[in-house]
């Protein structure tokens, strides 16, 4: 369902601009606003209204609401329009295959993704919404939409949260700045923050979940500078040199199943309620190794632990690239040295697919230091390789891909990231049957 619209001065100015007559309406209208601040819902309402208004230049105006991918369009936006467009104003039932709405007024709305540009070509539009503008191809508007919006004085509405990361982020940012300097009325730019709209309760939750940079970006809608360091939230405040091992808590083992080096972290921590915290007690980094050798090394160092083990890692642990006879997780599952005391089972958790790299990194940064000022990830000073990773792993120049040119780097921080993303993800759900697999081995 579309949530109730709460009037706000900047939103009102934005909507009034959208309602200007075609000859006075800016060609390109941009809104770079905070998460959950109403910009997209205004786009829904305005586009739905346009479907029901007679167009002065064509009896069959075509509109489009464009997401970066077709999957996003189908799973998110199509249902939104079904909720807001009155059924009695539709000529027929919305097409689930084409994601298309046909109205009794002759207008048509397509909900679509830009991941296959051919879906957008061959039509002349009366108006388009470019949603999640930072995540689109940087030439989408220039090469595809402007030519397709040239016949009927069409409008192009771009909405999104400012992002440091995103293939179209730099283009969207430049367009917003160009609109601020525009004097001929062809472009207009609107900006407001989540703090002007969203409840303080929701903002407090966001501050706890996000790093300061991510909070400013997502909720204050600021264009943050893209730092080269991946784990920019790491500092000496995340380190400890005393003994924080608790024999009453299970050990959390997370692995990056690489052959050289094989990299594992040994952790403990809570993940329920507001007591979410993680301590990295130890690391295992072995050259030219395999899963059996890593398990032996783990047992020699931590086999005395009395409260059980939980194993996490990357999805590629399911493949046979580190062992030609069995998968890595089956090896762990069948190693009786790590069964839970009194239960005869080994808990092994892994995702069906690896998390988005940037989501995983954001989850680690939020644990290192969130926008509420909390430090929930502590690392023993004995973890030399992990500390070096957190201090030095960087993005490649000119893009947001992690630089993996140094074979020594990224593996141990990846191992930590898999555990953090599983237990402390950016979303509110820790895991679900749809995206994770749990092994419970019985002996």
């Amino acid at each position: 369902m579309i949530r109730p619209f709460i009037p706000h001065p900047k939103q009102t100015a934005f909507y009034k601009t959208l309602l200007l007559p075609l000859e006075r309406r800016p060609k390109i209208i941009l809104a770079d606003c905070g998460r959950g601040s109403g910009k997209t819902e205004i786009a829904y309402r305005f586009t739905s209204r346009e479907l029901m208004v007679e167009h002065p230049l064509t009896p069959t105006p075509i509109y489009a609401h464009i997401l970066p991918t077709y999957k996003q369009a189908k799973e998110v936006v199509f249902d939104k329009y079904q909720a807001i467009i009155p059924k009695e104003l539709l000529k027929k039932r919305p097409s689930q295959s084409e994601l298309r709405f046909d109205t009794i007024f002759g207008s048509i709305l397509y909900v679509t993704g830009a991941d296959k540009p051919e879906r957008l070509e061959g039509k002349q539009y009366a108006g388009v919404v470019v949603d999640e503008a930072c995540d689109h191809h940087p030439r989408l508007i220039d090469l595809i939409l402007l030519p397709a919006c040239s016949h009927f004085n069409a409008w192009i509405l771009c909405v999104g949260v400012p992002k440091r990361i995103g293939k179209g982020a730099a283009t969207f940012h430049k367009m917003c700045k160009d609109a601020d300097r525009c004097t001929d009325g062809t472009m207009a730019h609107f900006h407001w923050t989540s703090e002007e709209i969203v409840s303080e309760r929701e903002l407090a939750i966001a501050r706890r979940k996000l790093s300061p940079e991510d909070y400013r970006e997502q909720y204050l809608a600021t264009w943050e500078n893209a730092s080269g360091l991946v784990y920019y939230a790491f500092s000496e405040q995340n380190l400890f040199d005393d003994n924080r091992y608790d024999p009453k808590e299970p050990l959390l083992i997370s692995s990056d199943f690489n052959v050289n080096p094989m990299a594992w972290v040994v952790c403990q921590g809570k993940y329920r309620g507001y007591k979410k915290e993680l301590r990295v007690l130890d690391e295992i980094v072995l050259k030219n190794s395999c899963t059996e050798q890593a398990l032996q090394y783990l047992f020699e160092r931590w086999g005395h632990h009395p409260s059980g083990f939980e194993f996490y890692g990357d999805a590629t642990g399911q493949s046979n690239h580190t062992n030609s006879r069995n998968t890595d997780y089956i090896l762990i599952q069948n190693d009786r040295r790590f069964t839970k005391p009194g239960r005869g089972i080994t808990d092994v958790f892994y995702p069906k697919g690896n998390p988005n790299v940037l989501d995983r990194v954001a989850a680690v940064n939020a644990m290192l230091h969130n926008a509420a000022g909390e430090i929930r990830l502590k690392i023993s000073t004995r973890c030399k390789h992990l500390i070096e990773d957190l201090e030095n792993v960087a993005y490649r120049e000119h893009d947001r891909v992690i630089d993996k040119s140094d074979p020594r780097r990224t593996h141990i921080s990846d191992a930590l990231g898999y555990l953090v993303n599983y237990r402390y993800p950016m979303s509110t759900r820790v895991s679900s049957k749809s995206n994770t697999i749990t092994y419970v081995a019985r002996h």
Side-chain angles (χ1 to χ4, degrees):
M1 293 293 292
I2 298 291
R3 67 186 181 185
F5 179 62
I6 302 173
H8 175 271
K10 295 177 183 177
Q11 289 180 338
T12 301
F14 175 48
Y15 196 66
K16 285 184 176 179
T17 299
L18 294 174
L19 295 180
L20 287 172
L22 276 181
E23 64 274 11
R24 293 172 50 204
R25 187 183 300 167
K27 178 74 172 181
I28 299 176
I29 304 170
L30 308 112
D32 57 340
C33 309
R35 183 71 61 192
S37 64
K39 60 191 178 302
T40 306
E41 296 196 17
I42 292 175
Y44 292 141
R45 294 171 186 271
F46 170 67
T47 306
S48 299
R49 174 193 178 277
E50 290 288 278
L51 291 173
M52 304 165 199
V53 176
E54 183 180 1
H55 198 284
L57 301 179
T58 174
T60 56
I62 300 174
Y63 300 90
H65 192 121
I66 306 168
L67 274 293
T69 69
Y70 184 81
K71 182 178 180 181
Q72 289 173 302
K74 185 173 184 178
E75 294 182 355
V76 180
V77 176
F78 186 71
D79 287 344
K80 294 281 190 178
Y81 277 109
Q82 286 198 100
I84 200 172
I85 300 174
K87 292 183 176 61
E88 59 270 21
L89 300 184
L90 294 175
K91 183 186 299 184
K92 55 186 177 181
R93 295 184 64 179
S95 171
Q96 294 281 346
S97 59
E98 294 184 86
L99 304 187
R100 169 174 167 166
F101 297 83
D102 291 79
T103 77
I104 60 176
F105 306 102
S107 57
I108 298 170
L109 169 64
Y110 288 95
V111 178
T112 189
D115 45 344
K116 292 187 177 180
E118 60 268 21
R119 295 194 188 103
L120 303 170
E121 297 170 342
K123 303 179 184 71
Q124 275 293 320
Y125 297 97
V128 297
V129 176
V130 180
D131 202 347
E132 298 291 352
C134 284
D135 296 324
H136 286 277
H137 190 282
R139 301 301 303 278
L140 171 69
I141 292 178
D142 288 351
L143 296 182
I144 297 178
L145 295 185
L146 280 175
C149 294
S150 59
H151 289 188
F152 304 126
N153 202 7
W155 46 267
I156 299 174
L157 173 56
C158 300
V159 297
V161 173
K163 293 183 179 180
R164 290 159 292 170
I165 302 166
K167 54 188 177 183
T171 299
F172 186 39
H173 189 192
K174 182 178 183 300
M175 290 176 65
C176 291
K177 292 191 291 186
D178 289 345
D180 289 336
R181 294 190 291 264
C182 179
T183 58
D184 60 7
T186 58
M187 299 180 73
H189 173 220
F190 295 88
H191 175 87
W192 61 87
T193 72
S194 302
E195 290 190 346
E196 300 173 61
I197 306 291
V198 178
S199 71
E200 181 55 37
R201 179 178 181 275
E202 296 297 323
L203 294 172
I205 293 172
R207 292 187 191 106
R208 295 183 63 88
K209 293 180 70 67
L210 300 176
S211 69
E213 289 81 358
D214 288 335
Y215 179 80
R216 290 197 299 268
E217 177 183 87
Q218 294 290 309
Y219 286 84
L220 299 184
T222 61
W223 289 95
E224 296 287 309
N225 291 325
S227 171
L229 286 179
V230 172
Y231 301 104
Y232 55 81
F234 175 73
S235 71
E236 290 188 0
Q237 292 180 291
N238 296 105
L239 301 178
F240 67 87
D241 55 13
D242 53 344
N243 182 14
R244 303 197 182 184
Y245 163 67
D246 186 345
K248 297 180 181 179
E249 293 182 10
L251 286 178
L252 314 175
I253 315 300
S254 189
S255 312
D256 179 75
F257 291 100
N258 189 57
V259 174
N260 188 23
M262 175 81 73
W264 294 18
V265 290
V266 180
C267 311
Q268 288 184 316
K270 299 180 177 65
Y271 70 102
R272 297 190 184 280
Y274 286 105
K275 296 183 178 180
K276 296 177 181 177
E277 55 90 12
L278 185 68
R279 309 182 307 281
V280 185
L281 306 175
D282 198 6
E283 64 182 12
I284 297 174
V285 179
L286 303 175
K287 295 181 179 179
N288 296 312
S289 187
C290 63
T291 304
E292 296 100 318
Q293 291 172 324
L295 286 168
Q296 178 61 30
Y297 193 87
L298 174 66
F299 182 75
E300 291 173 359
R301 185 173 289 188
W302 291 99
H304 64 278
H305 180 64
S307 299
F309 297 76
E310 296 178 10
F311 290 85
Y312 302 82
D314 60 327
T316 53
Q318 301 169 63
S319 68
N320 296 333
H321 73 290
T322 62
N323 188 283
S324 60
R325 292 173 289 110
N326 298 289
T327 66
D328 298 300
Y329 286 112
I330 294 295
L331 286 171
I332 296 171
Q333 176 194 16
N334 291 329
D335 194 323
R336 298 188 63 180
R337 295 175 295 180
F338 301 101
T339 58
K340 278 193 174 181
R343 291 176 59 198
I345 64 173
T346 302
D347 286 337
V348 183
F349 308 94
Y350 65 84
K352 289 182 180 178
N354 281 329
N356 178 281
V357 173
L358 299 179
D359 289 344
R360 169 164 55 85
V361 167
V364 172
N365 279 320
M367 288 293 289
L368 288 167
H369 186 184
N370 68 17
E374 298 168 327
I375 294 173
R376 299 176 294 167
L377 174 54
K378 292 283 190 174
I379 301 161
S380 171
T381 52
R382 72 189 295 181
C383 301
K384 304 297 185 184
H385 293 89
L386 177 58
I387 293 169
E388 288 180 9
D389 255 27
L390 297 177
E391 289 179 333
N392 296 293
V393 170
Y395 292 107
R396 294 188 322 204
E397 190 175 1
H398 305 310
D399 62 31
R400 304 300 286 171
V401 176
I402 294 178
D403 185 352
K404 291 182 175 285
S405 59
D406 185 343
R408 301 169 301 171
R409 295 275 73 86
T410 76
H411 302 294
I412 191 71
S413 54
D414 285 349
L416 174 63
Y418 298 132
L419 172 61
V420 169
N421 192 79
Y422 190 100
R423 290 172 65 101
Y424 318 94
M426 299 304 294
S427 62
T428 56
R429 299 179 64 185
V430 174
S431 64
S432 70
K433 292 182 180 178
S434 64
N435 60 20
T436 61
I437 294 176
T438 302
Y439 271 142
V440 180
R442 301 187 182 277
H443 303 288

